[in-house]
Amino acid sequence: MFEWFMNLDTWVQALIAGLFTWFVTALGASLVFFFKNIHKNILGMMYGLSSGVMVAASFWSLLAPGIEIAEEQGRIAWLVAAIGFGLGGLFLFGADKLIPHIHFGKQHTKEGVPTKLKRTILLVFSITLHNIPEGLAIGVAFGAIGFLSGSVEVATISAIALAIGIGIQNFPEGAAVSIPLSNEKMGRKKAFFLGQASAIVEPIAAVIGAILVNSMQVILPYALAFAAGAMIYVVVEELIPEAQENADSGTHYAVFGFMIGFIIMMILDVALG
């Protein structure tokens, strides 16, 4: 099975990995059919876990390989990483200001250009926007296979580990979106649809990321750092505030969730990659 997967084009590998993370998100969102509420501390821990996974993945799966490739290409590695990382954050900042969407916090803050679109559509835009970095991360990770030092098998396992890590954090993320939505005068089916839709963009972004780095190999170290910067932007701008806001017994649950997520992703990447 693994040999069959390794023989596929990297963009196909990225597509399969993206579909996997989407499927896991749908599984998490399906919890809306079994639970009416999530205790705030559990919700805070879920967002914390997602944050921890993304922060760990940003370094071990994206920044570190990007720096390694930049050094092998004879570039100033720290400068390449800094430029790519900064552009990733700026990309998400620009998207936040341009694409109309609603944040999931208590205030339901609106961002982007003024629009008369329905609130549910704006929620879909929000969850889609903030899952683009995860899909890109998967895509550039698989696109980097063959350019990293070491065997192709090890690089493939490392990319798979990233996809598994993102899938793990997508499960609670899907539940954290669908269950609260079901309590906002919204049916469970509609809440499930919006919850699973939070990752529908991931396989698309994964394919785009893999094709880009394969067609323009010169941008590979920048692309890896770009994906890391975009993911960190989402963590700091969205996930951590949500984690702290939803933990009603202080922020300890959110912090422990973050640490658990970080440890899980670190073990996956270091042990498998």
Side-chain angles (χ1 to χ4, degrees), residues 2 60-61 64-65 68 148-162 164 264-273:
F2 180 67
W60 271 286
S61 298
E68 178 186 326
L148 294 170
S149 60
S151 69
V152 173
E153 181 177 344
V154 171
T156 304
I157 293 175
S158 180
I160 292 173
L162 172 63
I164 292 174
I264 290 173
M265 189 64 233
M266 178 178 65
I267 291 174
L268 280 173
D269 201 279
V270 176
L272 298 181

Side-chain angles (χ1 to χ4, degrees), residues 184-199:
E184 296 186 8
K185 297 180 180 180
M186 186 181 298
R188 293 188 176 187
K189 290 183 179 180
K190 190 171 185 178
F192 167 75
F193 172 78
L194 291 176
Q196 62 83 32
S198 65

Side-chain angles (χ1 to χ4, degrees), residues 88-111:
L90 288 174
F91 171 77
L92 260 293
F93 174 77
D96 261 345
K97 297 303 179 184
L98 292 175
I99 300 176
H101 61 283
I102 293 178
H103 286 277
F104 276 89
K106 293 178 180 178
Q107 304 302 320
H108 295 299
T109 306
K110 290 185 178 181
E111 284 192 344

Side-chain angles (χ1 to χ4, degrees), residues 22 30 36 53 63 76 84 137-138 147 154 157 180-181 197 202-203 205 218 221 252:
W22 180 19
S30 69
K36 292 183 178 180
V53 169
L63 276 178
I76 304 174
I138 292 171
F147 302 102
V154 171
I157 293 175
L181 283 179
E202 289 188 12
V218 67
H252 297 94

Side-chain angles (χ1 to χ4, degrees), residues 63 81 83-89 91-92 136 221-231:
L63 276 178
I83 291 174
F85 189 87
L87 288 175
F91 171 77
L92 260 293
L136 286 176
Y222 292 98
L224 287 163
F226 179 95
M231 286 177 68

Side-chain angles (χ1 to χ4, degrees), residues 9-272:
D9 290 337
T10 54
W11 73 267
V12 179
Q13 294 174 338
L15 174 61
I16 293 173
L19 290 172
F20 163 74
T21 59
W22 180 19
F23 174 73
V24 177
T25 305
L27 283 180
S30 69
L31 293 181
V32 72
F33 296 112
F34 304 98
F35 301 96
K36 292 183 178 180
N37 296 289
I38 301 181
H39 192 280
K40 284 189 174 183
N41 289 333
I42 301 300
L43 191 58
M45 183 174 287
M46 285 180 172
Y47 280 116
L49 187 144
S50 296
S51 301
V53 169
M54 291 179 71
V55 169
S58 295
F59 176 73
W60 271 286
S61 298
L62 299 170
L63 276 178
I67 290 171
E68 178 186 326
I69 293 173
E71 289 174 342
E72 292 175 353
Q73 293 177 345
R75 304 184 186 187
I76 304 174
W78 61 264
L79 181 59
V80 171
I83 291 174
F85 189 87
L87 288 175
L90 288 174
F91 171 77
L92 260 293
F93 174 77
D96 261 345
K97 297 303 179 184
L98 292 175
I99 300 176
H101 61 283
I102 293 178
H103 286 277
F104 276 89
K106 293 178 180 178
Q107 304 302 320
H108 295 299
T109 306
K110 290 185 178 181
E111 284 192 344
V113 297
T115 179
K116 295 182 179 180
L117 291 173
K118 293 182 179 180
R119 180 174 175 276
T120 53
I121 300 299
L122 296 178
L123 287 171
V124 171
F125 282 177
S126 176
I127 52 187
T128 300
L129 173 64
H130 290 155
N131 276 272
I132 290 175
E134 296 173 17
L136 286 176
I138 292 171
V140 297
F142 279 98
I145 295 173
F147 302 102
L148 294 170
S149 60
S151 69
V152 173
E153 181 177 344
V154 171
T156 304
I157 293 175
S158 180
I160 292 173
L162 172 63
I164 292 174
I166 290 178
I168 289 173
Q169 68 95 23
N170 274 3
F171 183 83
E173 194 173 80
V177 171
S178 63
I179 294 178
L181 283 179
S182 69
N183 296 319
E184 296 186 8
K185 297 180 180 180
M186 186 181 298
R188 293 188 176 187
K189 290 183 179 180
K190 190 171 185 178
F192 167 75
F193 172 78
L194 291 176
Q196 62 83 32
S198 65
I200 195 172
V201 73
E202 289 188 12
I204 300 171
V207 171
I208 293 173
I211 291 176
L212 281 176
V213 298
N214 274 301
S215 59
M216 296 182 286
Q217 297 172 11
V218 67
I219 71 168
L220 179 53
Y222 292 98
L224 287 163
F226 179 95
M231 286 177 68
I232 293 297
Y233 183 93
V234 171
V235 169
V236 177
E237 199 258 355
E238 186 81 10
L239 295 181
I240 289 179
E242 285 289 333
Q244 294 182 331
E245 181 180 286
N246 283 287
D248 62 358
S249 297
T251 60
H252 297 94
Y253 286 90
V255 172
F256 284 124
F258 179 94
M259 295 181 71
I260 292 170
F262 191 96
I263 291 171
I264 290 173
M265 189 64 233
M266 178 178 65
I267 291 174
L268 280 173
D269 201 279
V270 176
L272 298 181

